[in-house]
Amino acid sequence: MSGGFRSRAKGRREENPAPAPARAGAERRRQSAAPARIGDGAREAAYEVVRRVDTDDAFANLVLPKLLGERAITGRDAAFATELAYGTLRAQGVLDAVIAKCSSRELDKIAPEVLAALRLGAYQLLYMRVDDHAAVDTSVRLVEAAGAVKAKGFANAVLRTIARTPAHEWMEQLAPDEPVAEVAFATAHPEWIARSFRAALAANAAADGADGELRAALEADSERPVVHLVARPGEISAAELAAITGGDEGTYSPYAVYLPEGDPGALEPVRDGIAGVQDEGSQLIARAAAEVPVEDDGGRWLDLCAGPGGKAALLGSLAGIEGARVDAIEISDHRAELIRKAVKGLPVTVTVADGRDPGLEPGFDRVLVDAPCSGLGALRRRPEARWKKQESEIAQLTVLQRELLESAIRLAKPGGAVVYSTCSPDVRETRGVVDAVLAGGEVDELDARQFVPGMEGTGDAKSVQMWPHRHGTDAMFFAVLRKK
């Protein structure tokens, strides 16, 4: 999905599938109980994804690939289903504003199966080059096939009202006047997230002004990210991995390979465990944890919040080269099992424990704290995430983040290194946590920028803030501390 509404030019995707019988309306015990069938596999799949995200809190990036495989939807139909499902989820706030303007009912009074179809139809009308009749007709038939026969007329009326006004006029009518709120609306983000990004950009003097860069930062959240592979050190080089996969070597990490297209899970190096899928920013953070100079490194390394295992695997590979061992701590049994699979064959011991008090003997040479966070830096990877998250969660997260960082400092030896990282640019989760701990006087901050050579625009503080629109990575943050 692009940053704004589409042009209302002709030449859009025409659809004339034969009508299918409606489902029996009585079977609505669970909103996602049975698929709606209208003879259009791509739209059916997109509709099921949108419904399951709404009613079951499912993850779109897990549900859609499975549906496409099960239903043998490939090629242009798969691409259409992907754009329609992910785009509808990303633009949900804008779509809901338009639907609310055209509806005789309040949004929370519209049945979930009907609202899902309205969102799909509105997205096609406003953002895609789809014929108006096809967008309206197929969406109404999805309402019928889902069992909401009595709502057909209502859905038809709402969508036809939307179609009568050009997309850019809807944007002009509904956009707020306040500048940050307007950018949030135009890029389909909740306003609080836009303000969070603006605060992070404003804290970076290298930016050309927070307001000037905010739109680019938010638009990057709606761009489909390139897959980043990691070549496991000691097993395969990035150059070899690039040659095998047809990808390109990364810009910043010596282990990164960019894969423009294709299924990474089908690649032989990934299947064999000598390569994996990992954002380049994550690679840089794990590498920094292994590279911070430590006097008399005794080979005791710790990953305090290790799930689901990507950083632990890279840290374990580097530890194997250095003759060190890694303790990986994870509070969740399920995620601990994911770590064990990721680090198989590496010098990593996985323990299920609370990182705030894991019961380990202090004296670690290196400690990585990849703290649980809001995940605002990886919104582009989960299209529905921006509308699911709540700003109120950040206050609780920052308490946990600080407790974990304080635990890491207790577990580090005097002179030991502690790397704190988040997949969020929110200042409360990044500099806010680090500065609070620095005030305690137990640690000094080192310049983290020396561990990302060649990466510009990471901020004027000693910490590193990465951005998708600047660096092509997730919006990841890390700071490097040394225990006094």
Side-chain angles (χ1 to χ4, degrees):
M1 186 192 83
S2 63
F5 289 160
R6 67 157 169 92
S7 166
R8 301 278 291 171
K10 293 296 180 182
R12 297 164 240 161
R13 188 176 189 263
E14 301 284 347
E15 293 293 339
N16 270 314
R23 274 185 53 221
E27 290 197 36
R28 295 173 60 190
R29 293 183 298 275
R30 265 195 97 186
Q31 300 300 338
S32 58
R37 301 293 193 183
I38 61 170
D40 184 328
R43 285 185 170 90
E44 291 167 0
Y47 177 70
E48 186 162 341
V49 170
V50 171
R51 282 188 63 184
R52 289 179 62 181
V53 166
D54 184 38
T55 61
D56 302 342
D57 286 329
F59 294 156
N61 60 344
L62 300 180
V63 174
L64 181 59
K66 184 178 180 182
L67 282 177
L68 296 179
E70 289 174 348
R71 301 180 185 183
I73 300 172
T74 59
R76 294 180 63 185
D77 284 341
F80 183 83
T82 300
E83 165 64 8
L84 180 54
Y86 288 176
T88 298
L89 293 169
R90 288 192 189 101
Q92 180 177 308
V94 176
L95 301 176
D96 284 356
V98 176
I99 292 168
K101 188 73 173 177
C102 301
S103 172
S104 58
R105 308 175 195 172
E106 296 181 3
L107 287 181
D108 60 2
K109 303 297 184 184
I110 302 175
E113 65 272 26
V114 177
L115 186 56
L118 288 176
R119 287 168 172 166
L120 287 172
Y123 185 78
Q124 293 171 74
L125 292 169
L126 299 173
Y127 286 96
M128 298 179 73
R129 299 179 67 82
V130 173
D131 180 76
D132 289 354
H133 174 75
V136 174
D137 178 65
T138 54
S139 299
V140 171
R141 287 196 289 112
L142 282 169
V143 170
E144 180 182 29
V149 179
K150 293 182 180 180
K152 286 174 56 182
F154 166 74
N156 183 69
V158 170
L159 292 173
R160 291 198 178 281
T161 301
I162 294 173
R164 281 195 289 270
T165 299
H168 70 276
E169 290 186 17
W170 280 123
M171 180 62 75
E172 292 169 0
Q173 286 182 34
L174 299 176
D177 293 330
E178 197 277 328
V180 175
E182 186 278 326
V183 173
F185 184 79
T187 59
H189 283 76
E191 185 178 335
W192 77 267
I193 292 181
R195 296 196 180 281
S196 168
F197 275 44
R198 184 184 182 279
L201 291 166
N204 177 2
D208 295 330
D211 291 334
E213 197 177 7
L214 178 59
R215 189 179 298 269
L218 293 174
E219 285 178 344
D221 276 339
S222 297
E223 298 297 328
R224 187 174 181 179
V226 172
V227 172
H228 292 180
L229 302 178
V230 57
R232 303 286 187 217
E235 297 284 354
I236 189 173
S237 70
E240 292 169 329
L241 182 59
I244 293 171
T245 61
D248 299 313
E249 291 185 59
T251 304
Y252 307 110
S253 167
Y255 319 117
V257 170
Y258 304 152
L259 190 68
E261 57 186 5
D263 176 12
L267 299 172
E268 186 175 348
V270 175
R271 293 200 309 267
D272 292 344
I274 61 175
V277 178
Q278 185 177 35
D279 184 80
E280 189 172 19
S282 293
Q283 297 176 37
L284 291 169
I285 291 168
R287 178 173 177 253
E291 287 199 341
V292 180
V294 173
E295 188 173 346
D296 298 325
D297 189 342
R300 287 191 71 203
W301 299 3
L302 174 62
D303 186 347
L304 198 60
C305 311
K311 292 183 180 70
L314 181 50
L315 202 57
S317 297
L318 295 169
I321 294 172
E322 298 296 330
R325 294 197 61 84
V326 179
D327 281 289
I329 305 301
E330 172 54 48
I331 196 170
S332 160
D333 288 319
H334 169 68
R335 286 166 68 88
E337 191 56 37
L338 295 177
I339 302 169
R340 291 188 182 99
K341 292 178 181 177
V343 302
K344 186 177 180 180
L346 298 173
V348 179
T349 300
V350 182
T351 302
V352 178
D354 188 332
R356 292 170 291 186
D357 185 17
L360 299 174
E361 185 70 25
F364 284 92
D365 302 279
R366 306 172 184 276
V367 185
L368 171 62
V369 188
D370 185 34
C373 68
S374 64
L376 298 185
L379 293 178
R380 59 189 186 151
R381 300 189 184 279
R382 282 191 50 203
E384 73 281 0
R386 66 190 68 181
W387 305 108
K388 296 283 187 180
K389 297 181 182 297
Q390 301 294 324
E391 186 173 17
S392 58
E393 299 168 1
I394 290 183
Q396 294 178 320
L397 284 167
T398 55
V399 172
L400 173 61
Q401 290 157 356
R402 182 169 175 176
E403 290 173 345
L404 287 165
L405 183 50
E406 290 170 344
S407 173
I409 293 169
R410 289 194 300 271
L411 290 165
K413 74 178 186 181
V418 176
V419 173
Y420 171 78
S421 68
T422 66
C423 189
S424 169
D426 191 287
V427 177
R428 291 165 289 187
E429 301 182 83
T430 58
R431 287 306 320 177
V433 172
V434 171
D435 290 340
V437 170
L438 286 170
E442 295 184 73
V443 291
D444 293 317
E445 184 173 10
L446 306 183
D447 193 338
R449 293 170 295 186
Q450 64 186 300
F451 303 107
V452 288
M455 181 177 275
E456 304 292 337
T458 60
D460 284 354
K462 291 182 177 180
S463 51
V464 167
Q465 178 62 65
M466 307 177 216
W467 292 96
H469 69 289
R470 292 187 193 169
H471 310 113
T473 68
D474 288 345
M476 306 200 74
F477 167 92
F478 78 97
V480 179
L481 309 175
R482 188 186 302 284
K483 185 172 181 177
K484 293 181 182 179

